[in-house]
Amino acid sequence: GHSFCNTREKISKMMEGSDQEGPSTGSEFTSSNLKRAIQYWLDKSTIHIFPRWIGFVVLLLLFSLRIYMVQGYFIVAYGLGIFLLNNFIAFLSPLEDPNDDSPGLPSTASDGKEFRPFARRLPEFKFWLASARGTFTSILMTFFPVFDVPVFWPILLMYFFILFFMTMKRQIMHMYKHGYVPISFGKAKYKDAGVEHGTFGGGMSKRSN
């Protein structure tokens, strides 16, 4: 009788434990699957640069339309503008500081002969992802009245344009001073690259049509 009671208590404890662990395990499993699915589609979208930025522009237009319709949340729009500006500056900036003595951007004609792609402080994909997340978060914030702080929006707009002008002027002067352009055109491609010329030439044989 005593052993039966102990066995029954153990079974009841096991059942209670399974009931408590079931929802948490299931939620963790669902969260893990969701993160894995999001990461999968993000990885798939890396090569589709143009559609990704079209999607970001659509998000930005939706946010602008939302601000116009409700005539509020101007402080959210200002914060999003500063956030996008900071990310844009990081996108234009080189990964290595040109003022550093370590090898970085080519400064002479001989250094420029060797192809070096422009290494950004913020890569294009991370720039797009941060901008899209920030815009989507700003859209969500416009549905919570706590973020609708009453401000005089022309002052915010004027201050943002002044900040944008000063920041871009400083960035352009930095680019001019250190002689770099934040665009990589890639290596030059030649028509007969990899095609053999002669009897014992290396590469692929050139077929005649």
Side-chain angles (χ1 to χ4, degrees):
H2 182 69
S3 60
F4 175 76
C5 292
N6 289 338
T7 304
R8 188 176 62 181
E9 289 177 3
K10 289 180 180 179
I11 293 175
S12 63
K13 288 181 179 179
M14 290 174 63
M15 293 293 292
E16 291 175 0
S18 63
D19 290 338
Q20 293 175 356
E21 294 175 1
S24 61
T25 304
S27 62
E28 290 176 0
F29 180 74
T30 304
S31 176
S32 177
N33 282 346
L34 181 61
K35 291 179 179 178
R36 196 178 298 114
I38 293 175
Q39 189 60 47
Y40 171 78
W41 287 109
L42 285 176
D43 293 340
K44 293 269 290 184
S45 68
T46 52
I47 59 174
H48 303 290
I49 299 177
F50 188 71
R52 282 194 283 106
W53 284 103
I54 288 295
F56 165 71
V57 171
V58 170
L59 274 178
L60 201 58
L61 289 176
L62 288 176
F63 174 74
S64 303
L65 181 63
R66 172 69 178 165
I67 295 297
Y68 176 77
M69 294 293 292
V70 299
Q71 288 295 307
Y73 298 95
F74 300 112
I75 196 69
V76 178
Y78 175 76
L80 177 62
I82 297 298
F83 176 76
L84 295 178
L85 178 61
N86 288 335
N87 280 277
F88 183 59
I89 295 299
F91 173 73
L92 295 178
S93 302
L95 179 63
E96 299 176 353
D97 187 6
N99 295 317
D100 197 356
D101 295 332
S102 59
L105 297 171
S107 56
T108 62
S110 60
D111 293 338
K113 289 180 181 179
E114 181 182 356
F115 173 73
R116 298 182 187 178
F118 183 78
R120 306 180 186 278
R121 187 193 307 171
L122 184 65
E124 180 273 331
F125 181 78
K126 290 186 177 180
F127 174 41
W128 167 81
L129 186 59
S131 301
R133 282 177 175 174
T135 307
F136 182 73
T137 303
S138 299
I139 293 175
L140 292 181
M141 291 173 66
T142 60
F143 291 94
F144 296 92
V146 67
F147 297 111
D148 190 11
V149 180
V151 291
F152 187 57
W153 67 265
I155 295 295
L156 285 181
L157 186 62
M158 182 181 67
Y159 185 70
F160 174 77
F161 277 121
I162 293 175
L163 187 63
F164 177 82
F165 173 77
M166 294 178 62
T167 305
M168 291 304 300
K169 179 182 177 182
R170 183 178 59 185
Q171 184 66 26
I172 293 173
M173 291 179 64
H174 187 270
M175 292 163 55
Y176 179 78
K177 177 182 177 181
H178 296 285
Y180 68 90
V181 178
I183 301 175
S184 296
F185 295 101
K187 292 184 178 180
K189 296 181 179 180
Y190 301 95
K191 181 179 179 181
D192 292 337
V195 179
E196 64 180 30
H197 299 279
T199 306
F200 301 103
M204 298 180 297
S205 60
K206 191 172 183 180
R207 297 180 179 177
S208 59
N209 295 329

